[in-house]
Amino acid sequence: QVQLVESGGGLVQAGGSLRLSCATSGRIFSVYAMGWFRQAPGKEREFVAAFRWRGGSTYYADSVKGRFTISRDNAKNTMYLQMNSLKPEDTAVYYCAADPLVVTTEAKYWGQGTQVTVSS
């Protein structure tokens, strides 16, 4: 069974930073496309950032470009999301996702989510 385990959420003031982590097995990490999504209260889940299939190039939502950075540590089978210059509108539950081909809101595997709250 595939497990994605997120950590690193919390409460931060606007302008601050947080780093989220997503740990999984080596089999998934080296082969699947992986990414981050978020869901704010009353809104649909939305794409944040991702690696293309087999750890390829990265891509970002326009709303986070220049502020968030997705990265990976292959030795630890862990993906990260460094979030800088956080805004209150970044408040959401953040989810790690993995899929054999491409991560979308229909991705095959999901973590349990980690809450990020940005105060103004």
PDB file of all heavy atoms in Angstrom, residues 24-34 51-56 72 74 77 98-102:
ATOM      1  N   THR A  24       7.722   9.156   1.427  1.00  0.00           N
ATOM      2  CA  THR A  24       7.074   7.983   0.860  1.00  0.00           C
ATOM      3  C   THR A  24       8.118   6.905   0.605  1.00  0.00           C
ATOM      4  O   THR A  24       9.274   7.067   0.983  1.00  0.00           O
ATOM      5  CB  THR A  24       6.316   8.340  -0.431  1.00  0.00           C
ATOM      6  OG1 THR A  24       5.554   7.206  -0.863  1.00  0.00           O
ATOM      7  CG2 THR A  24       7.287   8.734  -1.544  1.00  0.00           C
ATOM      8  N   SER A  25       7.706   5.822  -0.018  1.00  0.00           N
ATOM      9  CA  SER A  25       8.633   4.732  -0.281  1.00  0.00           C
ATOM     10  C   SER A  25       9.501   5.050  -1.490  1.00  0.00           C
ATOM     11  O   SER A  25       9.143   5.851  -2.332  1.00  0.00           O
ATOM     12  CB  SER A  25       7.866   3.440  -0.533  1.00  0.00           C
ATOM     13  OG  SER A  25       7.177   3.539  -1.770  1.00  0.00           O
ATOM     14  N   GLY A  26      10.635   4.374  -1.581  1.00  0.00           N
ATOM     15  CA  GLY A  26      11.535   4.596  -2.695  1.00  0.00           C
ATOM     16  C   GLY A  26      10.923   4.216  -4.033  1.00  0.00           C
ATOM     17  O   GLY A  26      11.173   4.854  -5.039  1.00  0.00           O
ATOM     18  N   ARG A  27      10.102   3.194  -4.038  1.00  0.00           N
ATOM     19  CA  ARG A  27       9.479   2.740  -5.286  1.00  0.00           C
ATOM     20  C   ARG A  27       8.608   3.838  -5.869  1.00  0.00           C
ATOM     21  O   ARG A  27       8.616   4.072  -7.079  1.00  0.00           O
ATOM     22  CB  ARG A  27       8.655   1.489  -5.023  1.00  0.00           C
ATOM     23  CG  ARG A  27       7.921   0.967  -6.250  1.00  0.00           C
ATOM     24  CD  ARG A  27       7.183  -0.325  -5.928  1.00  0.00           C
ATOM     25  NE  ARG A  27       6.081  -0.108  -5.017  1.00  0.00           N
ATOM     26  CZ  ARG A  27       4.870   0.236  -5.394  1.00  0.00           C
ATOM     27  NH1 ARG A  27       4.617   0.435  -6.675  1.00  0.00           N
ATOM     28  NH2 ARG A  27       3.904   0.396  -4.519  1.00  0.00           N
ATOM     29  N   ILE A  28       7.851   4.496  -5.034  1.00  0.00           N
ATOM     30  CA  ILE A  28       6.970   5.572  -5.511  1.00  0.00           C
ATOM     31  C   ILE A  28       7.798   6.790  -5.883  1.00  0.00           C
ATOM     32  O   ILE A  28       7.623   7.397  -6.936  1.00  0.00           O
ATOM     33  CB  ILE A  28       5.942   5.932  -4.424  1.00  0.00           C
ATOM     34  CG1 ILE A  28       5.050   4.738  -4.147  1.00  0.00           C
ATOM     35  CG2 ILE A  28       5.134   7.151  -4.829  1.00  0.00           C
ATOM     36  CD1 ILE A  28       4.274   4.256  -5.359  1.00  0.00           C
ATOM     37  N   PHE A  29       8.721   7.142  -5.031  1.00  0.00           N
ATOM     38  CA  PHE A  29       9.448   8.392  -5.187  1.00  0.00           C
ATOM     39  C   PHE A  29      10.241   8.441  -6.476  1.00  0.00           C
ATOM     40  O   PHE A  29      10.341   9.485  -7.107  1.00  0.00           O
ATOM     41  CB  PHE A  29      10.365   8.582  -3.980  1.00  0.00           C
ATOM     42  CG  PHE A  29      10.902   9.956  -3.824  1.00  0.00           C
ATOM     43  CD1 PHE A  29      10.102  10.973  -3.371  1.00  0.00           C
ATOM     44  CD2 PHE A  29      12.216  10.232  -4.151  1.00  0.00           C
ATOM     45  CE1 PHE A  29      10.599  12.253  -3.219  1.00  0.00           C
ATOM     46  CE2 PHE A  29      12.722  11.511  -4.016  1.00  0.00           C
ATOM     47  CZ  PHE A  29      11.910  12.524  -3.540  1.00  0.00           C
ATOM     48  N   SER A  30      10.811   7.338  -6.866  1.00  0.00           N
ATOM     49  CA  SER A  30      11.697   7.337  -8.033  1.00  0.00           C
ATOM     50  C   SER A  30      10.956   7.197  -9.352  1.00  0.00           C
ATOM     51  O   SER A  30      11.536   7.465 -10.404  1.00  0.00           O
ATOM     52  CB  SER A  30      12.715   6.205  -7.907  1.00  0.00           C
ATOM     53  OG  SER A  30      12.046   4.958  -7.890  1.00  0.00           O
ATOM     54  N   VAL A  31       9.696   6.795  -9.307  1.00  0.00           N
ATOM     55  CA  VAL A  31       9.004   6.491 -10.554  1.00  0.00           C
ATOM     56  C   VAL A  31       7.792   7.398 -10.791  1.00  0.00           C
ATOM     57  O   VAL A  31       7.545   7.819 -11.910  1.00  0.00           O
ATOM     58  CB  VAL A  31       8.549   5.016 -10.562  1.00  0.00           C
ATOM     59  CG1 VAL A  31       7.745   4.705 -11.811  1.00  0.00           C
ATOM     60  CG2 VAL A  31       9.760   4.101 -10.460  1.00  0.00           C
ATOM     61  N   TYR A  32       7.071   7.720  -9.748  1.00  0.00           N
ATOM     62  CA  TYR A  32       5.812   8.437  -9.920  1.00  0.00           C
ATOM     63  C   TYR A  32       6.020   9.944 -10.081  1.00  0.00           C
ATOM     64  O   TYR A  32       7.026  10.502  -9.633  1.00  0.00           O
ATOM     65  CB  TYR A  32       4.921   8.210  -8.700  1.00  0.00           C
ATOM     66  CG  TYR A  32       4.186   6.890  -8.687  1.00  0.00           C
ATOM     67  CD1 TYR A  32       4.770   5.732  -9.183  1.00  0.00           C
ATOM     68  CD2 TYR A  32       2.901   6.802  -8.167  1.00  0.00           C
ATOM     69  CE1 TYR A  32       4.087   4.523  -9.165  1.00  0.00           C
ATOM     70  CE2 TYR A  32       2.212   5.595  -8.133  1.00  0.00           C
ATOM     71  CZ  TYR A  32       2.820   4.469  -8.650  1.00  0.00           C
ATOM     72  OH  TYR A  32       2.150   3.288  -8.626  1.00  0.00           O
ATOM     73  N   ALA A  33       5.036  10.592 -10.685  1.00  0.00           N
ATOM     74  CA  ALA A  33       4.941  12.046 -10.632  1.00  0.00           C
ATOM     75  C   ALA A  33       4.418  12.418  -9.241  1.00  0.00           C
ATOM     76  O   ALA A  33       3.532  11.744  -8.704  1.00  0.00           O
ATOM     77  CB  ALA A  33       3.981  12.554 -11.692  1.00  0.00           C
ATOM     78  N   MET A  34       4.973  13.476  -8.659  1.00  0.00           N
ATOM     79  CA  MET A  34       4.567  13.883  -7.307  1.00  0.00           C
ATOM     80  C   MET A  34       4.377  15.380  -7.239  1.00  0.00           C
ATOM     81  O   MET A  34       5.048  16.136  -7.954  1.00  0.00           O
ATOM     82  CB  MET A  34       5.613  13.442  -6.283  1.00  0.00           C
ATOM     83  CG  MET A  34       5.742  11.936  -6.145  1.00  0.00           C
ATOM     84  SD  MET A  34       6.813  11.451  -4.788  1.00  0.00           S
ATOM     85  CE  MET A  34       5.870  12.051  -3.380  1.00  0.00           C
ATOM     86  N   PHE A  51       6.475  17.876  -9.537  1.00  0.00           N
ATOM     87  CA  PHE A  51       7.498  17.318 -10.416  1.00  0.00           C
ATOM     88  C   PHE A  51       6.782  16.506 -11.474  1.00  0.00           C
ATOM     89  O   PHE A  51       5.852  15.773 -11.192  1.00  0.00           O
ATOM     90  CB  PHE A  51       8.418  16.368  -9.638  1.00  0.00           C
ATOM     91  CG  PHE A  51       9.376  17.042  -8.730  1.00  0.00           C
ATOM     92  CD1 PHE A  51       9.098  17.139  -7.382  1.00  0.00           C
ATOM     93  CD2 PHE A  51      10.566  17.554  -9.207  1.00  0.00           C
ATOM     94  CE1 PHE A  51       9.987  17.751  -6.517  1.00  0.00           C
ATOM     95  CE2 PHE A  51      11.463  18.167  -8.351  1.00  0.00           C
ATOM     96  CZ  PHE A  51      11.170  18.267  -7.010  1.00  0.00           C
ATOM     97  N   ARG A  52       7.267  16.606 -12.683  1.00  0.00           N
ATOM     98  CA  ARG A  52       6.726  15.739 -13.723  1.00  0.00           C
ATOM     99  C   ARG A  52       7.199  14.305 -13.494  1.00  0.00           C
ATOM    100  O   ARG A  52       8.014  14.035 -12.646  1.00  0.00           O
ATOM    101  CB  ARG A  52       7.118  16.256 -15.095  1.00  0.00           C
ATOM    102  CG  ARG A  52       6.390  17.547 -15.448  1.00  0.00           C
ATOM    103  CD  ARG A  52       6.554  17.957 -16.892  1.00  0.00           C
ATOM    104  NE  ARG A  52       5.688  19.083 -17.208  1.00  0.00           N
ATOM    105  CZ  ARG A  52       6.013  20.348 -17.036  1.00  0.00           C
ATOM    106  NH1 ARG A  52       7.199  20.647 -16.567  1.00  0.00           N
ATOM    107  NH2 ARG A  52       5.162  21.297 -17.355  1.00  0.00           N
ATOM    108  N   TRP A  53       6.713  13.385 -14.257  1.00  0.00           N
ATOM    109  CA  TRP A  53       6.957  11.945 -14.140  1.00  0.00           C
ATOM    110  C   TRP A  53       8.433  11.627 -13.978  1.00  0.00           C
ATOM    111  O   TRP A  53       9.287  12.196 -14.653  1.00  0.00           O
ATOM    112  CB  TRP A  53       6.399  11.268 -15.380  1.00  0.00           C
ATOM    113  CG  TRP A  53       6.485   9.799 -15.389  1.00  0.00           C
ATOM    114  CD1 TRP A  53       5.889   8.922 -14.520  1.00  0.00           C
ATOM    115  CD2 TRP A  53       7.198   8.998 -16.336  1.00  0.00           C
ATOM    116  NE1 TRP A  53       6.191   7.639 -14.894  1.00  0.00           N
ATOM    117  CE2 TRP A  53       6.990   7.644 -15.997  1.00  0.00           C
ATOM    118  CE3 TRP A  53       7.989   9.295 -17.435  1.00  0.00           C
ATOM    119  CZ2 TRP A  53       7.537   6.602 -16.717  1.00  0.00           C
ATOM    120  CZ3 TRP A  53       8.545   8.255 -18.154  1.00  0.00           C
ATOM    121  CH2 TRP A  53       8.315   6.932 -17.792  1.00  0.00           C
ATOM    122  N   ARG A  54       8.718  10.769 -13.005  1.00  0.00           N
ATOM    123  CA  ARG A  54      10.064  10.303 -12.706  1.00  0.00           C
ATOM    124  C   ARG A  54      11.000  11.457 -12.344  1.00  0.00           C
ATOM    125  O   ARG A  54      12.154  11.484 -12.774  1.00  0.00           O
ATOM    126  CB  ARG A  54      10.633   9.479 -13.864  1.00  0.00           C
ATOM    127  CG  ARG A  54       9.902   8.156 -14.018  1.00  0.00           C
ATOM    128  CD  ARG A  54      10.678   7.160 -14.846  1.00  0.00           C
ATOM    129  NE  ARG A  54      10.019   5.864 -14.863  1.00  0.00           N
ATOM    130  CZ  ARG A  54      10.512   4.781 -15.439  1.00  0.00           C
ATOM    131  NH1 ARG A  54      11.677   4.828 -16.045  1.00  0.00           N
ATOM    132  NH2 ARG A  54       9.848   3.645 -15.401  1.00  0.00           N
ATOM    133  N   GLY A  55      10.481  12.364 -11.515  1.00  0.00           N
ATOM    134  CA  GLY A  55      11.325  13.436 -10.985  1.00  0.00           C
ATOM    135  C   GLY A  55      11.824  14.407 -12.020  1.00  0.00           C
ATOM    136  O   GLY A  55      12.919  14.956 -11.894  1.00  0.00           O
ATOM    137  N   GLY A  56      11.033  14.633 -13.033  1.00  0.00           N
ATOM    138  CA  GLY A  56      11.423  15.553 -14.082  1.00  0.00           C
ATOM    139  C   GLY A  56      11.306  16.999 -13.674  1.00  0.00           C
ATOM    140  O   GLY A  56      11.403  17.346 -12.497  1.00  0.00           O
ATOM    141  N   ARG A  72      13.352  17.918  -3.775  1.00  0.00           N
ATOM    142  CA  ARG A  72      13.323  16.525  -3.382  1.00  0.00           C
ATOM    143  C   ARG A  72      14.685  16.083  -2.891  1.00  0.00           C
ATOM    144  O   ARG A  72      15.711  16.591  -3.337  1.00  0.00           O
ATOM    145  CB  ARG A  72      12.858  15.638  -4.537  1.00  0.00           C
ATOM    146  CG  ARG A  72      13.720  15.774  -5.778  1.00  0.00           C
ATOM    147  CD  ARG A  72      13.010  15.220  -6.995  1.00  0.00           C
ATOM    148  NE  ARG A  72      12.907  13.770  -6.926  1.00  0.00           N
ATOM    149  CZ  ARG A  72      11.823  13.085  -7.298  1.00  0.00           C
ATOM    150  NH1 ARG A  72      10.777  13.727  -7.756  1.00  0.00           N
ATOM    151  NH2 ARG A  72      11.787  11.780  -7.209  1.00  0.00           N
ATOM    152  N   ASN A  74      16.447  12.591  -2.831  1.00  0.00           N
ATOM    153  CA  ASN A  74      16.302  11.213  -3.300  1.00  0.00           C
ATOM    154  C   ASN A  74      16.790  10.204  -2.266  1.00  0.00           C
ATOM    155  O   ASN A  74      16.256   9.095  -2.167  1.00  0.00           O
ATOM    156  CB  ASN A  74      17.043  11.025  -4.609  1.00  0.00           C
ATOM    157  CG  ASN A  74      16.404  11.797  -5.753  1.00  0.00           C
ATOM    158  OD1 ASN A  74      15.211  12.078  -5.733  1.00  0.00           O
ATOM    159  ND2 ASN A  74      17.198  12.172  -6.736  1.00  0.00           N
ATOM    160  N   ASN A  77      13.911   9.830   0.119  1.00  0.00           N
ATOM    161  CA  ASN A  77      12.590   9.591  -0.477  1.00  0.00           C
ATOM    162  C   ASN A  77      11.580  10.617   0.018  1.00  0.00           C
ATOM    163  O   ASN A  77      10.444  10.275   0.385  1.00  0.00           O
ATOM    164  CB  ASN A  77      12.100   8.170  -0.171  1.00  0.00           C
ATOM    165  CG  ASN A  77      12.991   7.122  -0.788  1.00  0.00           C
ATOM    166  OD1 ASN A  77      13.563   7.329  -1.849  1.00  0.00           O
ATOM    167  ND2 ASN A  77      13.128   6.001  -0.106  1.00  0.00           N
ATOM    168  N   ALA A  98       0.624  11.663  -5.407  1.00  0.00           N
ATOM    169  CA  ALA A  98       1.476  10.894  -6.315  1.00  0.00           C
ATOM    170  C   ALA A  98       0.597  10.167  -7.327  1.00  0.00           C
ATOM    171  O   ALA A  98      -0.507   9.738  -7.002  1.00  0.00           O
ATOM    172  CB  ALA A  98       2.324   9.895  -5.542  1.00  0.00           C
ATOM    173  N   ASP A  99       1.136  10.038  -8.530  1.00  0.00           N
ATOM    174  CA  ASP A  99       0.391   9.364  -9.595  1.00  0.00           C
ATOM    175  C   ASP A  99       1.379   8.711 -10.554  1.00  0.00           C
ATOM    176  O   ASP A  99       2.453   9.235 -10.771  1.00  0.00           O
ATOM    177  CB  ASP A  99      -0.483  10.365 -10.344  1.00  0.00           C
ATOM    178  CG  ASP A  99      -1.450   9.680 -11.276  1.00  0.00           C
ATOM    179  OD1 ASP A  99      -1.073   9.417 -12.438  1.00  0.00           O
ATOM    180  OD2 ASP A  99      -2.564   9.371 -10.836  1.00  0.00           O
ATOM    181  N   PRO A 100       1.015   7.592 -11.151  1.00  0.00           N
ATOM    182  CA  PRO A 100       1.935   6.934 -12.079  1.00  0.00           C
ATOM    183  C   PRO A 100       2.317   7.793 -13.280  1.00  0.00           C
ATOM    184  O   PRO A 100       3.386   7.589 -13.855  1.00  0.00           O
ATOM    185  CB  PRO A 100       1.172   5.687 -12.517  1.00  0.00           C
ATOM    186  CG  PRO A 100       0.206   5.419 -11.420  1.00  0.00           C
ATOM    187  CD  PRO A 100      -0.192   6.777 -10.913  1.00  0.00           C
ATOM    188  N   LEU A 101       1.456   8.740 -13.660  1.00  0.00           N
ATOM    189  CA  LEU A 101       1.738   9.525 -14.868  1.00  0.00           C
ATOM    190  C   LEU A 101       1.853  11.023 -14.594  1.00  0.00           C
ATOM    191  O   LEU A 101       2.873  11.628 -14.884  1.00  0.00           O
ATOM    192  CB  LEU A 101       0.649   9.264 -15.913  1.00  0.00           C
ATOM    193  CG  LEU A 101       0.630   7.857 -16.503  1.00  0.00           C
ATOM    194  CD1 LEU A 101      -0.545   7.702 -17.471  1.00  0.00           C
ATOM    195  CD2 LEU A 101       1.936   7.557 -17.211  1.00  0.00           C
ATOM    196  N   VAL A 102       0.795  11.632 -14.078  1.00  0.00           N
ATOM    197  CA  VAL A 102       0.798  13.076 -13.850  1.00  0.00           C
ATOM    198  C   VAL A 102      -0.118  13.384 -12.679  1.00  0.00           C
ATOM    199  O   VAL A 102      -1.178  12.781 -12.530  1.00  0.00           O
ATOM    200  CB  VAL A 102       0.360  13.829 -15.122  1.00  0.00           C
ATOM    201  CG1 VAL A 102      -1.035  13.424 -15.545  1.00  0.00           C
ATOM    202  CG2 VAL A 102       0.435  15.332 -14.916  1.00  0.00           C
TER     203      VAL A 102
END
